[in-house]
Amino acid sequence: GISTHGIGWFPQYVNEQCFKGFKEDWKANVVRLAMYTHENNGYCTDGNKDNLKQLVKDGVAYATNQNLYVIIDWHVLQEQNPNTYKDEAKKFFEEMSKEYKDYTNVIYEVCNEPNGGVSWKEIKSYAEEKEHGNFLKRSNKKRNIFIK
């Protein structure tokens, strides 16, 4: 599969032609939409939330049009601990899981790349809360696939 870099940094690569090339030329079957939460144009800091959400939605549409799986990636890096923006993550994934409840190609990555001084216990607690929280319950979709 293919991963975008930060969609806030390089939004120009979230387009139908790129996704078609991923499928046809690179033989990819999955694309990850890496949305950073903290760094330049981060969803939870200085980025435009509406624009970033629209990029995710556009990316899901392009992936779906190309018969690709798509990973919606909540990308934690600079802030190190996924709990830093826990409330924002909950709201974001509630919205996304409702929007895509009938899609069979959408995968949710609730925390990519925690690092630094964060403990496994903190990461596990965060992930389990997302797994059992309202936004990823089976009531939104018969089968949610998520990476924790």
Side-chain angles (χ1 to χ4, degrees):
I2 303 290
S3 181
T4 64
H5 190 46
I7 61 173
W9 298 336
F10 301 105
Q12 68 270 27
Y13 298 113
V14 181
N15 68 69
E16 188 80 44
Q17 193 60 36
C18 279
F19 284 43
K20 184 176 182 179
F22 297 157
K23 173 79 174 193
E24 293 178 0
D25 301 333
W26 296 16
K27 309 300 184 210
N29 66 353
V30 62
V31 62
R32 174 192 284 140
L33 299 170
M35 186 182 70
Y36 284 76
T37 58
H38 189 83
E39 287 81 7
N40 301 340
N41 296 316
Y43 185 83
C44 300
T45 56
D46 57 349
N48 182 310
K49 286 183 180 175
D50 291 333
N51 289 348
L52 289 166
K53 281 194 281 190
Q54 190 59 53
L55 277 169
V56 169
K57 291 175 182 183
D58 290 347
V60 171
Y62 303 143
T64 302
N65 291 344
Q66 297 301 320
N67 294 312
L68 294 165
Y69 288 100
V70 59
I71 300 170
I72 299 176
D73 169 18
W74 186 260
H75 206 93
V76 173
L77 184 59
Q78 195 72 19
E79 69 276 28
Q80 301 178 343
N81 189 329
N83 291 295
T84 302
Y85 299 120
K86 182 170 58 175
D87 292 338
E88 290 90 338
K90 181 180 181 209
K91 290 176 193 170
F92 176 80
F93 282 111
E94 280 176 346
E95 180 178 340
M96 293 298 119
S97 67
K98 286 176 185 170
E99 178 92 15
Y100 299 113
K101 67 182 178 181
D102 295 322
Y103 285 60
T104 58
N105 65 319
V106 176
I107 300 168
Y108 304 96
E109 187 167 14
V110 297
C111 175
N112 181 294
E113 210 170 338
N115 63 87
V118 65
S119 70
W120 175 244
K121 184 178 178 180
E122 291 172 293
I123 295 167
K124 187 174 187 244
S125 169
Y126 167 88
E128 287 175 346
E129 180 181 328
K130 301 303 171 263
E131 177 182 1
H132 300 295
N134 291 332
F135 69 91
L136 287 176
K137 279 188 178 174
R138 292 186 185 269
S139 61
N140 277 349
K141 183 177 172 185
K142 290 179 183 165
R143 292 182 342 204
N144 278 313
I145 299 173
F146 68 98
I147 301 167
K148 59 177 178 171

